[in-house]
Structures are given as C-alpha cells and as structure tokens.
Amino acid sequence: MADQYQYNINEEKIVKDSHTKEIDLINRDPKQINEDVVKVEFEDVIAEPDGTHSLDGVWKLSYTTFTVSKYWCYRVLSAVFGIPVALLWGFLFACISFCHIWAVVPCIKSCLIESQCISRIYSLCIQTFCDPFFEALGKIFSSVRVALRKEV
C-alpha cells in the first residue's frame, strides 16, 4: 500500500513538473534549431573589400548602428508579437496533436485491421485454388528432362 502511494505521488510530480518546467534563461536554444538560420552578424552582411574602405568613424558607427538596431528591433518585435505568435503556435500544434491522436492513428489502425482481414481471405483463396493447381502442374512437368547438345 505504501509503495502504491509513493508511486502515485511520483506520478503526480511527473505530471505537475511537465507543466511547471523551469526554463533556462541563459541557453535558450538547447537543441540548436536556429544555429545557422538567424545567427547573423555585421560581418556576415556588410563587408568592404581591400581598396574600398569608408572612413573609420563611419565603419565603427555603421557597426554600432547595425548591432544596436538589430538587437532592439528584435526585442520590440518579440515583446509586441511574441506572446500572440506563441499562442497561435500553441493552438496549431495542439490541433495537429489532436488530429493525429484522434483521427490519423485510429484511421491507420482501422486500415491495418481491414487489410489484415482481406489478406487472410486472399491467402485462403490462394491456398485453396492456386496451390493445388500449381502443385499438379509441377508434378506433370517434373518428369520432363531437357538435354542440351552442341553439334559441330
């Protein structure tokens, strides 16, 4: 009884923890799904080849402007649109999960059950009608000998 109670407490903790999971505020891309896509730096976009250089002050100010504007534009956009877009993605993946759990998997399972039934009927027909016919043909032609001679 104590083991069952302990099991229920552990099961309850697992369910509770999945909804109140701690979020890592340092590493926000632990699976690195956006590593190559959106990691854009100033040097990846703007570059001056040798022999064509702007003034040093313009280059430094351009670097600062690019970096700061990218940083704050992303922060403002994520502050304004982050929660509504997260809500939409949450709904979308909930709908996909619902369809998959309540429609796709049962439909596939139903098709597998039906095809298994048809497979058994087909197998029975083959064993009943075709197997004896081909066994008889095999016995008829089993005594045929083929001799190959090469004449010069």
Side-chain angles (χ1 to χ4, degrees):
M1 185 70 170
D3 290 337
Q4 185 178 7
Y5 178 72
Q6 185 66 29
Y7 175 75
N8 288 340
I9 289 174
N10 289 340
E11 187 177 301
E12 205 172 284
K13 277 185 182 179
I14 292 169
V15 172
K16 198 175 194 180
D17 289 342
S18 69
H19 296 292
T20 60
K21 181 175 144 182
E22 289 290 326
I23 297 176
D24 186 1
L25 294 176
I26 305 300
N27 183 12
R28 296 187 184 190
D29 191 8
K31 296 182 181 177
Q32 298 176 349
I33 61 173
N34 290 316
E35 191 64 27
D36 297 330
V37 180
V38 294
K39 196 173 182 180
V40 178
E41 300 296 329
F42 180 76
E43 297 84 10
D44 297 330
V45 179
I46 300 171
E48 293 180 333
D50 289 337
T52 309
H53 286 201
S54 61
L55 299 171
D56 291 345
V58 172
W59 186 251
K60 289 178 184 176
L61 188 58
S62 298
Y63 173 81
T64 304
T65 303
F66 177 87
T67 306
V68 171
S69 64
K70 183 184 88 157
Y71 176 79
W72 281 106
C73 183
Y74 177 78
R75 294 199 105 178
V76 169
L77 287 173
S78 63
V80 173
F81 297 110
I83 293 174
V85 170
L87 183 67
L88 290 174
W89 282 118
F91 282 147
L92 175 70
F93 284 106
C95 291
I96 290 171
S97 297
F98 177 83
C99 288
H100 191 77
I101 291 167
W102 291 99
V104 174
V105 171
C107 183
I108 291 171
K109 192 70 163 178
S110 173
C111 288
L112 287 173
I113 291 169
E114 291 300 321
S115 65
Q116 189 178 32
C117 179
I118 292 169
S119 169
R120 287 184 180 167
I121 293 170
Y122 176 77
S123 177
L124 183 64
C125 289
I126 293 294
Q127 289 173 356
T128 304
F129 300 112
C130 294
D131 284 356
F133 174 72
F134 287 112
E135 280 181 30
L137 281 178
K139 287 181 182 179
I140 291 170
F141 293 111
S142 67
S143 61
V144 173
R145 304 281 180 231
V146 177
L148 186 63
R149 285 185 240 164
K150 189 175 184 181
E151 293 184 25
V152 181

